[in-house]
Amino acid sequence: MQIYRLLTEDDTAAFCHKVSGAISKGWALYGDPQYAFDHANGVMRCAQAVVKEIDGDYHPDMNLGQQ
Protein backbone atom coordinates (compact mmCIF):
# COMPACT_ATOMS: atom_id res chain seq x y z
CA MET A 1 0.00 0.00 0.00
CA GLN A 2 1.10 3.59 -0.54
CA ILE A 3 1.41 6.05 2.34
CA TYR A 4 1.67 9.85 2.13
CA ARG A 5 3.44 12.57 4.11
CA LEU A 6 3.65 16.33 3.73
CA LEU A 7 7.02 17.68 4.80
CA THR A 8 7.14 21.34 5.85
CA GLU A 9 9.84 23.65 7.13
CA ASP A 10 11.09 27.22 6.91
CA ASP A 11 12.89 27.93 3.62
CA THR A 12 16.36 27.02 4.91
CA ALA A 13 18.80 24.16 4.42
CA ALA A 14 16.80 22.30 7.09
CA PHE A 15 13.98 21.81 4.56
CA CYS A 16 16.38 20.35 1.99
CA HIS A 17 17.84 18.03 4.64
CA LYS A 18 14.35 16.90 5.69
CA VAL A 19 13.38 16.06 2.10
CA SER A 20 16.76 14.43 1.37
CA GLY A 21 16.43 12.33 4.52
CA ALA A 22 12.99 11.11 3.47
CA ILE A 23 14.28 10.22 -0.02
CA SER A 24 17.18 8.27 1.53
CA LYS A 25 14.60 6.21 3.49
CA GLY A 26 12.70 5.22 0.34
CA TRP A 27 10.15 8.02 0.10
CA ALA A 28 9.50 9.45 -3.39
CA LEU A 29 8.62 13.02 -4.29
CA TYR A 30 4.94 13.51 -5.10
CA GLY A 31 4.15 16.68 -7.02
CA ASP A 32 6.01 19.96 -6.99
CA PRO A 33 7.31 21.74 -3.89
CA GLN A 34 5.18 24.61 -2.64
CA TYR A 35 6.26 27.90 -1.08
CA ALA A 36 4.28 30.49 0.85
CA PHE A 37 5.10 33.53 2.95
CA ASP A 38 4.26 33.06 6.64
CA HIS A 39 3.15 36.59 7.60
CA ALA A 40 2.92 35.78 11.31
CA ASN A 41 6.60 34.81 11.50
CA GLY A 42 7.97 36.81 8.57
CA VAL A 43 9.53 33.81 6.79
CA MET A 44 9.03 31.75 3.65
CA ARG A 45 7.72 28.25 4.32
CA CYS A 46 8.22 25.20 2.07
CA ALA A 47 6.19 22.03 1.64
CA GLN A 48 6.86 18.83 -0.31
CA ALA A 49 4.59 15.82 -0.51
CA VAL A 50 6.23 12.39 -0.49
CA VAL A 51 4.86 8.85 -0.89
CA LYS A 52 6.17 5.38 -0.09
CA GLU A 53 5.08 1.80 -0.75
CA ILE A 54 4.87 -0.30 2.43
CA ASP A 55 3.77 -3.80 3.32
CA GLY A 56 0.60 -4.18 5.32
CA ASP A 57 -2.37 -1.95 5.91
CA TYR A 58 -2.59 1.71 6.88
CA HIS A 59 -3.49 2.51 10.49
CA PRO A 60 -4.15 6.08 11.74
CA ASP A 61 -1.79 5.55 14.68
CA MET A 62 1.21 4.81 12.39
CA ASN A 63 4.26 6.99 12.89
CA LEU A 64 4.78 7.86 9.22
CA GLY A 65 8.15 9.42 9.96
CA GLN A 66 9.41 6.02 11.13
CA GLN A 67 8.32 4.19 7.97
Side-chain angles (χ1 to χ4, degrees):
M1 91 154 290
Q2 191 173 67
I3 55 176
Y4 168 93
R5 291 175 64 194
L6 182 64
L7 306 174
T8 62
E9 186 68 54
D10 289 350
D11 186 13
T12 66
F15 176 71
C16 296
H17 289 290
K18 186 181 280 190
V19 174
S20 295
I23 291 169
S24 74
K25 293 178 182 171
W27 292 86
L29 301 178
Y30 184 81
D32 295 327
Q34 300 295 310
Y35 301 91
F37 186 69
D38 178 348
H39 291 278
N41 295 305
V43 297
M44 288 297 290
R45 300 273 300 159
C46 304
Q48 174 65 58
V50 292
V51 293
K52 184 177 185 181
E53 287 291 330
I54 62 165
D55 294 329
D57 296 323
Y58 169 77
H59 298 283
D61 58 342
M62 292 176 110
N63 182 342
L64 297 177
Q66 297 299 315
Q67 296 297 318

